[in-house]
Amino acid sequence: MAAVAALPMPQRQSRGEDDAGVRPSAKVETALAVRPCQQPLVLTGPVGMRRERRPSLPPIRQALPLELNSIRATCRSGLAGMVPSGAVHVVTTLVGFVPFTLGYTFGMLETAISGTRMNESACFKAGSLSLLYAMGIFPTVLYDQGDGELGSSPAGETEQSALLRSTPLLVSNHISYLDALILPLMLEWPKFMSMAVVKSWPLFGSIAQELDYIWVDRGSKNSRAAALDAIDAHVGAWRHGDRPLLLFPEGTTTNGRSMVDFKKGAFFTGAPVRPVLVKYTGAWDPACVDFLEPGDPEVDGEVGANDVGAMQQSLRYTDSDWFAQFVGHLLHSCTLLVCKPYIPCDAEKANPDLYAANVRAFMLNKLHMLNLVCDHSSSSDSQVLMKNLQRVMRVKSQLHEWSSRAHLRKRLQEREKRVSRRRSASSAQFQGSSGSSIVN
């Protein structure tokens, strides 16, 4: 499994207050669907549980609410159960490296001869997909066509590239290390913002440079300003048909059930964005979180308020636990939902906070529908998932339309009542004045 550790995936970012924008006293927000230029409607829930720390354990990276920073524990079979699946992983990964190496070699030759970029090489993409499948990762991509209609990936690469390169920025929720492997391959190699240290990695550093990664030195005090300058430069130089830049506006990883507040780095330019949602559907949830959820209360017993800190420490979830679970599970499936471009209005262009909040609310609505379909679907077939998600989106659209009609009907009725009262008052006043004239 050396391939997993060597691939240019972003490490779990430091979950400080500046990165995630969520303090321990922050409330969990569940935003409903909003139209552009509308303030998002939010429902507030309970705050996250207090997190204690033991000296023997590494510090927790971000005071995220526990409901976003934990996953359900899966069966652990120990070292004896991990060895067979680990051996299979090693063999299949080594086998996958053969077409990957060949694809990279032919891609370099094609680049040297024709002057094209590595991302345009069909050989390199085929080799990369072979390695992805050899590692047991099988993604499904669905495209939101609007009005409750869904479709699969376009048949031709030219059509797919034209569709994905219609906005300068792609924004996605961030769940796992695997995001950095799946999203670039499935989204036709967008540009990626990565740590500068990856540039010095053997093989994968050169691949990242060939793919025009944008490098940011996170150890520098000016890393945030450098990242904003890089985004601004990309948007300014981007033309229709160029590769977009893929960003994770949450700035951290969650378990995928909801999303934390977006940082405004992806939205301060006022450029259109195309939202992308990721949902992992395998037996194991590869989310990079800090805790495992407690087991069945009937088995483990109820946990008292004074035992919260001890319970959390006993259920800490580290990177070594994540790697053990990855090795212990052979198949890792996921579904990607590529949404229609989000075009900001003038108010959103002038207010990056409003723009970020509205895009988050829009993506939350899609994410909740995606979670609803994937969590309650007994089939992993892409066509079945697409039909179920399409049905949910149509129902959601109809309910929104009906609520809008009911609201309009209510306003018309109130207007008719006001007009009727005015007419009655005018008629009574006219009759009174007419009666007084006759008496005189």
Side-chain angles (χ1 to χ4, degrees):
M1 291 308 300
V4 180
L7 288 172
M9 57 183 70
Q11 297 181 356
R12 249 194 276 191
Q13 300 182 5
S14 175
R15 295 181 172 181
E17 179 181 338
D18 291 339
D19 286 341
V22 180
R23 294 177 292 276
S25 60
K27 297 182 178 180
V28 183
E29 296 181 353
T30 305
L32 303 178
V34 296
R35 288 185 247 171
C37 300
Q38 289 182 336
Q39 294 286 353
L41 177 64
V42 297
L43 301 176
T44 58
V47 297
M49 303 174 70
R50 181 175 178 266
R51 304 184 178 188
E52 300 180 0
R53 179 183 305 172
R54 288 183 183 177
S56 59
L57 293 174
I60 300 170
R61 279 157 279 208
Q62 162 63 32
L64 286 177
L66 188 61
E67 54 267 32
L68 295 181
N69 198 19
S70 61
I71 60 172
R72 177 65 62 180
T74 56
C75 179
R76 296 187 178 188
S77 54
L79 182 61
M82 190 178 69
V83 169
S85 59
V88 173
H89 259 302
V90 170
V91 172
T92 55
T93 301
L94 291 176
V95 171
F97 255 103
V98 175
F100 174 75
T101 305
L102 292 175
Y104 175 69
T105 303
F106 283 112
M108 289 294 292
L109 291 175
E110 185 179 354
T111 300
I113 296 174
S114 62
T116 59
R117 304 298 298 176
M118 182 67 75
N119 62 281
E120 300 174 357
S121 172
C123 295
F124 177 67
K125 181 178 181 180
S128 301
L129 284 174
S130 300
L131 178 60
L132 192 71
Y133 296 149
M135 295 173 64
I137 304 173
F138 296 92
T140 299
V141 183
L142 303 177
Y143 286 81
D144 182 8
Q145 300 175 351
D147 298 327
E149 298 293 333
L150 287 176
S152 56
S153 302
E157 292 187 6
T158 303
E159 292 79 5
Q160 187 174 1
S161 297
L163 183 65
L164 293 171
R165 297 182 180 185
S166 58
T167 60
L169 299 173
L170 300 175
V171 292
S172 172
N173 59 327
H174 197 11
I175 299 176
S176 173
Y177 293 135
L178 303 182
D179 296 348
L181 302 178
I182 297 171
L183 290 173
L185 276 170
M186 296 296 104
L187 300 179
E188 293 296 321
W189 301 112
K191 292 184 178 180
F192 207 80
M193 189 171 292
S194 180
M195 300 179 298
V197 67
V198 177
K199 189 187 302 185
S200 61
W201 289 4
L203 180 59
F204 294 100
S206 60
I207 293 176
Q209 294 187 59
E210 290 290 337
L211 295 176
D212 297 326
Y213 274 34
I214 298 176
W215 307 105
V216 177
D217 184 7
R218 292 181 181 172
S220 172
K221 296 181 180 180
N222 299 324
S223 60
R224 174 171 294 186
L228 294 177
D229 291 341
I231 295 173
D232 189 39
H234 167 80
V235 172
W238 183 87
R239 297 296 180 267
H240 194 278
D242 292 345
R243 294 164 60 199
L245 175 63
L246 174 62
L247 297 172
F248 301 115
E250 293 176 282
T252 186
T253 54
T254 66
N255 56 17
R257 299 173 190 171
S258 185
M259 291 183 287
V260 298
D261 291 338
F262 284 0
K263 297 191 293 184
K264 59 183 181 181
F267 309 97
F268 78 100
T269 61
V273 299
R274 182 183 288 274
V276 179
L277 282 309
V278 182
K279 168 67 178 178
Y280 289 93
T281 55
W284 168 61
D285 187 353
C288 294
V289 295
D290 291 318
F291 298 103
L292 292 176
E293 294 178 358
D296 191 349
E298 296 181 359
V299 178
D300 300 336
E302 295 292 341
V303 179
N306 296 330
D307 299 328
V308 170
M311 178 198 71
Q312 291 178 338
Q313 293 297 346
S314 64
L315 298 178
R316 284 292 301 274
Y317 190 62
T318 63
D319 288 342
S320 59
D321 296 326
W322 185 95
F323 181 77
Q325 291 291 334
F326 178 83
V327 173
H329 293 79
L330 295 177
L331 300 178
H332 311 282
S333 60
C334 72
T335 300
L336 272 62
L337 177 61
V338 181
C339 303
K340 292 181 68 65
Y342 190 103
I343 311 298
C345 62
D346 293 337
E348 291 170 329
K349 291 179 181 179
N351 188 349
D353 292 323
L354 175 63
Y355 188 11
N358 284 348
V359 173
R360 175 181 177 269
F362 174 81
M363 293 178 65
L364 267 178
N365 180 49
K366 301 293 184 180
L367 179 63
H368 291 162
M369 290 189 290
L370 186 62
N371 288 339
L372 177 64
V373 171
C374 293
D375 292 341
H376 296 83
S377 178
S378 58
S379 174
S380 59
D381 183 75
S382 60
Q383 296 297 325
V384 175
L385 289 175
M386 184 170 64
K387 290 181 180 179
N388 292 339
L389 183 58
Q390 191 169 355
R391 188 184 304 114
V392 171
M393 293 178 65
R394 286 178 177 174
V395 171
K396 190 87 172 181
S397 177
Q398 289 177 357
L399 290 176
H400 180 72
E401 183 180 357
W402 290 341
S403 62
S404 300
R405 291 180 179 178
H407 180 68
L408 178 60
R409 189 181 302 110
K410 183 178 180 180
R411 291 187 60 184
L412 290 175
Q413 291 175 351
E414 292 177 351
R415 181 179 178 182
E416 291 178 358
K417 290 180 180 179
R418 289 196 300 269
V419 172
S420 179
R421 286 196 297 267
R422 290 175 182 174
R423 289 177 177 175
S424 299
S426 300
S427 178
Q429 184 179 4
F430 176 74
Q431 292 178 359
S433 59
S434 299
S436 58
S437 300
I438 295 174
V439 172
N440 294 330

